[in-house]
Amino acid sequence: MTERARFDRGHTDDLMTFLAASPSPYHAVATAAERLEKAGFRQVAETDAWDGTSGGKYVLRGGAIVAWYVPEGAAPHTPFRIVGAHTDSPNLRVKPLPDSGAHGWRQVAVEIYGGPLLNSWLDRDLGIAGRLTLRDGSTRLVNVDRPLLRVPQLAIHLDRSVTADGLKLDKQRHMQPVWGLGRDVRDGDLIAFLEETAGIPAGEVTGWDLMTHSVEPPAYLGRDRELLAGPRMDNLLSVHAAAAALAAVASSSAQPASIPVLAAFDHEENGSQSDTGADGPLLGNVLERSVFARGGSYEDRARAFAGTVCLSSDTGHAVHPNYAERHDPTHHPRVNGGPILKVNVNNRYATDGSGRAEFTAACEAADVPFQSFVSNNSMPCGTTIGPITAARHGIRTVDIGVAILSMHSVRELCGADDPFLLANALTAFLER
């Protein structure tokens, strides 16, 4: 038996299915909700009065989901154990007036969302997915998961400078995809096509939140298939692991001592400042309403929050074999080495010493190895929803994740064992 045979590839196979089914944040939360429903969770509406019954519940709002499990006999001041993640990824998003074109080409006008590696979107077969809003205010998901668009790169014969100066892309002029031929650009063509695709009567769609995605499916990579290549692993890998962990805890015969929570937000890639982002009120509202629905007071709410811990789970940087000098010389996270604990003393990550101890205990309980990550002092450090969650809610927060390569590429790369290890660590954390 090889070392790799110790790991359950069933989890990674399921992650690949989840990634393929989730080309947009709206699809990601719908897919997560469907899985939680199978574990006994039920959706509650924010506009309804909530009851204090035990069991699994979840709220959907746009591209965000908050799900929680109330054990039998939970007191109003019972603390929460939260896994936070985000559902959005950098990509190309459709503009309000999408129909454009020039010189006999029909194109779709797009805006750059987040910080994608633009070159990775060139010469890719792209689909289009997202949310359509109808005249009556209802919404419908749409997913054209076939080669529909392409951002064609300029031939080297027409720009010899790329060999000496490197590829330089203008976000406005060079990133507009083509999707057909025709000299006459007709307003409404794209939306009419999507209405027909989704089986919606013509003219019923009055709003849209649409984005492109690579139609190439996730795949194992490498001689021994020890790597996983796929889209949107930043950060649907964490959303999938957290949903699996929450379902496992809710389905266990042993009742957790705290209330386990999954909080997957939208808009992390552009600052989290929205009604579905981590800097919005969604998580705090759900936690408070859960306390009050169980008969709690403001004092109970304060006690519950004081004992609450959040793991902010997001992907991080594995050491790159071609650019090792860009990493801290004493911290080289490796793929398939287990989840990473992220530390930054300037609070770009929320981890402190007590948080390290919290994560260490979870990993030890799950028999999962973990690694530490810090940025090279000469390089700027990214951030996550961790510091936002800690500051907004006064909740002790720890930043963790899985080490990957090609972050923000249309197709990212991780170790095939790490998603399983992360899910086990999250399960142990929620059970504590």
Side-chain angles (χ1 to χ4, degrees):
M1 178 181 293
T2 65
E3 179 73 9
R4 189 146 287 104
R6 294 189 302 110
F7 297 99
D8 180 4
R9 284 295 174 84
H11 178 89
T12 306
D13 292 341
D14 191 62
L15 169 61
M16 295 165 70
T17 300
F18 184 84
L19 293 172
S22 306
S24 77
Y26 314 107
H27 288 83
V29 298
T31 305
E34 181 181 358
R35 289 161 177 248
L36 291 172
E37 291 262 1
K38 293 179 180 178
F41 285 70
R42 61 181 177 89
Q43 184 176 1
V44 294
E46 292 184 83
T47 53
D48 291 344
W50 291 4
D51 59 50
T53 57
S54 60
K57 305 170 186 179
Y58 68 90
V59 164
L60 290 181
R61 183 192 289 185
I65 181 172
V66 180
W68 66 103
Y69 177 78
V70 180
E72 290 283 352
H77 61 269
T78 300
F80 302 91
R81 295 184 77 81
I82 305 166
V83 177
H86 67 88
T87 60
D88 60 319
S89 300
N91 55 20
L92 312 179
R93 302 208 170 185
V94 176
K95 288 183 175 181
L97 300 176
D99 299 293
S100 67
H103 306 289
W105 292 97
R106 297 173 67 186
Q107 294 177 276
V108 173
V110 297
E111 189 173 4
I112 309 302
Y113 178 82
L117 287 173
L118 293 180
N119 62 291
S120 71
W121 287 84
L122 302 178
D123 298 331
R124 292 273 185 179
D125 295 336
L126 304 176
I128 195 166
R131 178 179 66 174
L132 302 172
T133 303
L134 280 56
R135 290 185 181 278
D136 63 3
S138 63
T139 59
R140 294 275 293 276
L141 298 184
V142 64
N143 181 16
V144 183
D145 196 32
R146 66 170 178 84
L148 180 68
L149 307 100
R150 185 181 179 94
V151 182
Q153 187 170 190
L154 183 66
I156 192 172
H157 313 77
L158 303 179
D159 185 10
R160 299 287 184 179
S161 67
V162 298
T163 57
D165 301 331
L167 180 64
K168 297 178 181 179
L169 296 170
D170 183 281
K171 293 180 179 180
Q172 178 63 39
R173 293 185 295 120
H174 299 152
M175 296 305 298
Q176 307 306 309
V178 301
W179 76 303
L181 300 174
R183 294 190 177 278
D184 297 325
V185 175
R186 296 183 296 273
D187 289 341
D189 270 3
L190 177 66
I191 300 306
F193 166 74
L194 294 176
E195 285 176 330
E196 182 180 2
T197 300
I200 298 171
E204 282 298 302
V205 171
T206 57
W208 50 88
D209 303 279
L210 299 167
M211 59 207 71
T212 61
H213 66 277
S214 171
V215 299
E216 185 180 3
Y220 288 109
L221 185 144
R223 186 193 67 178
D224 298 321
R225 293 161 52 90
E226 68 267 47
L227 301 171
L228 174 65
R232 301 176 295 281
M233 287 194 280
D234 177 15
N235 184 33
L236 294 188
L237 187 158
S238 294
V239 175
H240 173 262
L246 180 59
V249 172
S251 302
S252 173
S253 58
Q255 292 287 286
S258 300
I259 297 174
V261 180
L262 159 64
F265 302 101
D266 201 353
H267 302 130
E268 188 272 349
E269 297 293 354
N270 61 9
S272 295
Q273 292 184 322
S274 71
D275 68 323
T276 54
D279 203 19
L282 179 59
L283 176 61
N285 286 350
V286 168
L287 299 184
E288 288 181 348
R289 291 185 69 177
S290 175
V291 170
F292 299 150
R294 284 176 279 122
S297 62
Y298 182 82
E299 181 72 11
D300 292 313
R301 178 260 187 214
R303 293 175 65 189
F305 276 44
T308 293
V309 184
C310 174
L311 292 188
S312 165
S313 182
D314 203 347
T315 54
H317 303 296
V319 61
H320 196 301
N322 299 336
Y323 301 91
E325 73 280 0
R326 301 296 182 97
H327 301 266
D328 183 86
T330 59
H331 293 77
H332 281 176
R334 302 179 183 276
V335 298
N336 287 334
I340 55 175
L341 180 73
K342 301 178 180 181
V343 177
N344 180 267
V345 295
N346 294 302
N347 285 340
R348 300 293 286 173
Y349 303 129
T351 307
D352 62 10
S354 65
R356 179 186 176 89
E358 186 75 50
F359 188 57
T360 298
C363 289
E364 288 178 347
D367 192 24
V368 167
F370 74 91
Q371 311 172 80
S372 294
F373 170 83
V374 296
S375 291
N376 185 306
N377 286 335
S378 299
M379 302 291 294
C381 180
T383 190
T384 67
I385 66 167
I388 294 172
T389 303
R392 181 171 182 83
H393 305 293
I395 290 172
R396 186 156 57 106
T397 304
V398 189
D399 272 296
I400 66 161
V402 162
I404 69 171
L405 293 182
S406 305
M407 186 183 293
H408 287 198
S409 171
V410 73
R411 198 165 176 82
E412 296 162 323
L413 185 70
C414 76
D417 299 330
D418 282 332
F420 175 67
L421 294 172
L422 175 65
N424 281 357
L426 296 183
T427 302
F429 166 75
L430 293 177
E431 285 175 340
R432 282 174 54 79

